[in-house]
Structures are given as C-alpha cells and as structure tokens.
Amino acid sequence: MVFSLLSLHLVSVVWSHYLMKAVTFEDNNGVSTGINRLHLDEPDTLWTRQYENFDYVVVAGEKWFLKSALYFENNTLVGCHYCLDTNTTELGFEYAYRKALNSTLTFMTGSKHKPVVVFRTMAPDHFEKGEWNTGGYCNRTRPFKTGEIEIKDVDDIMHRIELEEFERLKAINGISLKLLDATYLSLLRPDGHPGAYRQFQPFAGKDKNSKIQHDCLHWCLPGPIDSWNDLILEMFVKDSN
Ligand SMILES: *[C@@H]1O[C@H](CO)[C@@H](O)[C@H](O)[C@H]1NC(C)=O
Ligand SMILES: *[C@@H]1O[C@H](CO)[C@@H](O)[C@H](O)[C@H]1NC(C)=O
Ligand SMILES: *[C@@H]1O[C@H](CO)[C@@H](O)[C@H](O)[C@H]1NC(C)=O
Ligand SMILES: *[C@@H]1O[C@H](CO)[C@@H](O)[C@H](O)[C@H]1NC(C)=O
C-alpha cells in the first residue's frame, strides 16, 4: 500500500495566492500599494504548467479571497470586492471564490492528466482583539476544547462554499477528487501560529510590550498542520486496500 506513495516522483509546493492569474501589490508585511487584480477564468500558470508532473495534488484556496480586489473575466473588469469605487459592481468574495474553484476544476477535468486531487478546506485564523493589521494577537498556549470556540462568520461562509463546490464537482466524471476537511480541526488550534514570532527575535532592542505585527494565520512547523499530512496518507492507504 505504501508503495503507491513511494512512487510519487516529485514533491513540490506552489504558492499561488489565488490559484488564478493575479497581479498583487503587497510586500512581505501584507501592506498593499495597489488593489489586487484577479482573473477568475485563468488558472495561474505557476501551478498549471507543473500539473502533469504530479500523481497526487493537494489544492487549497482560502484567505486571499477576502482581500479587496478587482475581478476580471475574459480580460474584462466584471466587478470587485471592497474596492470602494462606486462605478465598479461589488460582487463579494463569495462570487470570486466560487468562480476560482470552478475554473480550477474546469482546468483539471479538461486535462488529459488524471492525478488524485485532494481538496483541503480553509483553516481559520486566530486573531483576537483585532485583525492582523490592527493589533490582533494570539497568545493561547493550549488547544480549544470542542464547543469552546465558534467559527467566525466569514470563515463559515468560505467553508460552506468549499463544501458546496466540492459536492458539485466530485460528481464530474474522470476526476478523482477527495475532501480533506481541515477547517474544524484547525479552528481548535489557536496555539499553533507564530504569533509575535513571525520574525526572528521580534523584541530585540524593544520593550516586551511594544506593538509588533502578529501572525495568527500561518502555522508553525512542526505543528498542527503536520496532522493534515497524516490524514492524507491515511486516506491514500485506505483507498489502496
Ligand atoms: C472575450 O473577449 C473577446 C475580445 O475582447 C471577445 O471577442 C469574446 O467574444 C469574449 N468572449 C466571451 C466568452 O465573452
Ligand atoms: C464614475 O464614472 C463617472 C462617469 O463616467 C466619472 O465621472 C467618475 O469620475 C467615476 N468615479 C470614479 C470614482 O471613478
Ligand atoms: C462551472 O460553472 C458553470 C456555470 O455555472 C457550470 O456550468 C459548470 O458545470 C461548472 N463547472 C465546474 C467544473 O464546476
Ligand atoms: C495574552 O495577552 C493578553 C494581552 O496582552 C494578556 O492579557 C493575557 O494574559 C495573555 N495570555 C497569555 C496566556 O499569555
């Protein structure tokens, strides 16, 4: 059974912010100098040109879609999300996320190459008392217990879209699509983020209470998301029995 995993001939992570072709204007601290431009019908060649090299593909979308952006289809501006321009139709991130998942799967079903595709659902952030750019932090040192935390509305909406699109798409012939629903598992792990330590020695030369940017979105490694790998391996092993 494990043999099929050893036959993977490449491992690679492609970081495409939106899965789709996009022009972004952000620095490493997430500070934007322009509004992101996102092509909802053009899968990003960063991943599509490598697609045929892989037997197993894990796809995830999530948080970038919440940012303000201009949306293009067929190279034409069709609307935006939070662009504060009264002349451009507000379509909402839900519209863009559905389209992007649709375009991703349309590409996959249209390709002759048929890998096993795992769709990993979104992982909530754990900012408290603010967002990433308004002093939010995450300093909890233990997981939540079941029922101790509720998912934020926006994360819930995103997760619902993922489940709905997955249900629709898995019915399409010719694609082996599996769901890794990582959302609730991840919700319970506020203790798994870098927090203040998104940079080396964040307090060097500063007072320990000084205001620094925290990261309560990305995950530490080793950390909770290692369990995603365990779950994926378990899914493959089960299927090969
Ligand atoms: C896309 O745009 C081109 C030219 O800009 C136009 O000829 C074509 O009909 C458009 N396609 C769709 C599907 O709207
Ligand atoms: C909206 O469109 C009108 C008419 O074309 C134009 O006069 C106005 O400057 C535009 N507003 C913005 C914010 O672009
Ligand atoms: C994408 O959306 C179109 C239009 O809503 C639909 O007809 C098509 O089945 C969808 N395809 C996939 C792969 O979701
Ligand atoms: C987390 O930070 C807040 C605000 O600085 C503080 O009140 C709280 O005691 C801290 N909790 C832990 C577990 O360090």
Side-chain angles (χ1 to χ4, degrees), residues 36-162:
N36 296 338
R37 301 163 68 90
L38 176 54
H39 294 260
L40 297 175
D41 53 356
E42 289 184 61
D44 195 342
T45 52
L46 262 177
W47 66 269
T48 56
R49 67 169 179 245
Q50 296 185 48
Y51 183 69
E52 298 198 354
N53 298 336
F54 295 91
D55 299 322
Y56 294 85
V57 174
V58 181
V59 189
E62 67 191 272
K63 293 283 188 178
W64 271 75
F65 287 89
L66 303 179
K67 295 171 185 266
S68 53
L70 299 175
Y71 298 146
F72 294 83
E73 287 171 41
N74 196 24
N75 278 319
T76 306
L77 182 66
V78 292
C80 71
H81 174 52
Y82 202 59
C83 63
L84 305 178
D85 172 3
T86 47
N87 288 346
T88 310
T89 313
E90 167 67 45
L91 289 172
F93 77 87
E94 298 94 326
Y95 174 87
Y97 199 38
R98 276 189 207 277
K99 277 271 171 186
L101 295 180
N102 181 299
S103 300
T104 299
L105 266 293
T106 301
F107 169 83
M108 289 176 174
T109 49
S111 168
K112 280 201 218 62
H113 182 60
K114 298 294 175 200
V116 176
V117 179
V118 177
F119 179 52
R120 197 263 296 158
T121 64
M122 64 88 60
D125 68 74
H126 293 92
F127 287 102
E128 294 186 41
K129 307 272 167 24
E131 292 300 323
W132 65 274
N133 54 352
T134 55
Y137 62 83
C138 46
N139 60 356
R140 290 175 192 269
T141 52
R142 278 184 293 134
F144 287 118
K145 296 195 176 67
T146 303
E148 208 181 336
I149 175 82
E150 272 191 31
I151 192 164
K152 292 178 193 171
D153 281 348
V154 65
D155 292 342
D156 192 39
I157 292 168
M158 203 157 233
H159 186 222
R160 277 167 204 267
I161 291 174
E162 290 172 335

Side-chain angles (χ1 to χ4, degrees), residues 11-16 50 54:
V11 173
S12 165
V13 174
V14 181
W15 182 249
S16 166
Q50 296 185 48
F54 295 91

